[in-house]
Amino acid sequence: MAKPKLAVWKFASCDGCQLTLLDCEDELLEIAGALEIAQFLEATSAIDDGPYDISLVEGSITTAHDAERIRAIREKSDVLITIGACATAGGIQSLRNFADVEAFTSAVYAHPEFISTLETSTAISDHVTVDFELRGCPVSKHQLLELITATLAGRVPRVPKVSQCTECKLNGTVCVMVAKGTPCLGPVTQAGCGNLCPSHGRGCYGCFGPKENPNPQALSAQLADLGMEPRELRDIYRTFNAGAPAFAEESKSHE
């Protein structure tokens, strides 16, 4: 039997999530044994025009050309999975969504008239149907392997939808917001990073985006009690997942 064909695609991004797949090392060899890597320019120059059984997509849509390209990829992919904050929420580049893009291009480029870009940076799901979204900046190696394995097996991936606070408690990490008054997005952020920042005494930066049914209004009230000003409350939601609707709406309420 022919192996399922896997394609990995890049849009506007830093390549970090693709590198996470390459960092799987030994596990990647097993994946390569179970799949035919038909398209993955980060790893090989081989190109297969498809169709594809699974497409992993990194990066956000920031140009009209990319909006056309993702539609073509969707048509050739049985299963399309977005990986990382850029693909699932527009990424750090979605900060443009709150500002004047022409002002940015005029300040950065000597000839801004040559720049062809959209006014916004948006998630892949804003343009095509997505079968699964894997959060993170970058994604978790373990979650990525689970996702690929589950997709090959035809089952639902075991990816948690609980908050980072749950992960802190499971790891015995003392709450930095309660113990030290450190601002933390843990209560509204999906778990998955392995409790990285809180375990080192830092607040969560929201790398994995909003958890299922977040309540950022309640968190903002608590952060305000800790002394955060409106501008600080606005900015704390405008990082890797600034374009995620729950974070974007809450940040706008503090402008």
Side-chain angles (χ1 to χ4, degrees):
M1 291 180 63
K3 297 178 182 178
K5 288 186 177 181
L6 171 71
V8 184
W9 308 94
K10 171 185 165 59
F11 288 81
S13 63
C14 72
D15 288 27
C17 293
Q18 293 181 77
L19 290 174
T20 297
L21 179 55
L22 292 177
D23 284 344
C24 290
E25 297 177 345
D26 292 342
E27 296 92 338
L28 184 60
L29 294 176
E30 295 183 17
I31 291 172
L35 291 164
E36 177 187 343
I37 299 179
Q39 173 101 9
F40 187 7
L41 295 181
E42 193 85 15
T44 174
S45 59
I47 296 177
D48 186 318
D49 292 330
Y52 313 102
D53 295 284
I54 304 171
S55 276
L56 301 179
V57 181
E58 177 194 68
S60 65
I61 302 301
T62 58
T63 68
H65 173 260
D66 279 350
E68 294 178 5
R69 190 160 68 97
I70 191 59
R71 288 192 288 269
I73 290 170
R74 173 69 272 191
E75 290 178 0
K76 294 190 290 186
S77 306
D78 289 341
V79 175
L80 189 146
I81 298 167
T82 51
I83 57 173
C86 295
T88 61
I92 196 74
Q93 55 269 30
S94 66
L95 289 173
R96 73 166 69 181
N97 302 356
F98 306 99
D100 181 356
V101 173
E102 289 188 5
F104 285 158
T105 55
S106 296
V108 173
Y109 298 100
H111 294 282
E113 66 271 19
F114 297 142
I115 304 301
S116 176
T117 186
L118 299 174
E119 289 292 318
T120 57
S121 173
T122 48
I124 299 299
S125 61
D126 289 339
H127 301 266
V128 298
T129 300
V130 170
D131 297 297
F132 193 87
E133 293 185 334
L134 189 67
R135 310 275 194 81
C137 186
V139 293
S140 159
K141 165 186 172 179
H142 303 293
Q143 288 188 359
L144 183 58
L145 289 171
E146 162 62 16
L147 174 59
I148 294 173
T149 301
T151 303
L152 288 173
R155 61 173 175 80
V156 176
R158 299 188 185 96
V159 176
K161 295 183 179 181
V162 298
S163 72
Q164 172 60 41
C165 295
T166 301
E167 201 163 39
C168 280
K169 287 179 169 56
L170 289 172
N171 284 275
T173 301
V174 174
C175 177
V176 296
M177 192 155 63
V178 172
K180 301 179 181 178
T182 301
C184 180
L185 289 178
V188 298
T189 298
Q190 181 174 297
C193 67
N195 192 38
L196 182 60
C197 289
S199 66
H200 288 82
R202 302 194 301 256
C204 171
Y205 290 94
C207 300
F208 278 67
K211 76 176 190 69
E212 191 173 50
N213 300 317
N215 188 354
Q217 296 87 359
L219 176 61
S220 293
Q222 179 63 33
L223 294 174
D225 288 342
L226 292 176
M228 292 191 74
E229 299 294 331
R231 181 173 180 176
E232 294 175 305
L233 290 171
R234 179 200 69 181
D235 291 347
I236 197 173
Y237 293 102
R238 293 186 180 178
T239 56
F240 313 102
N241 286 277
F247 285 2
E249 291 168 12
E250 183 61 20
S251 73
K252 287 179 181 178
S253 71
H254 299 286
E255 289 181 334

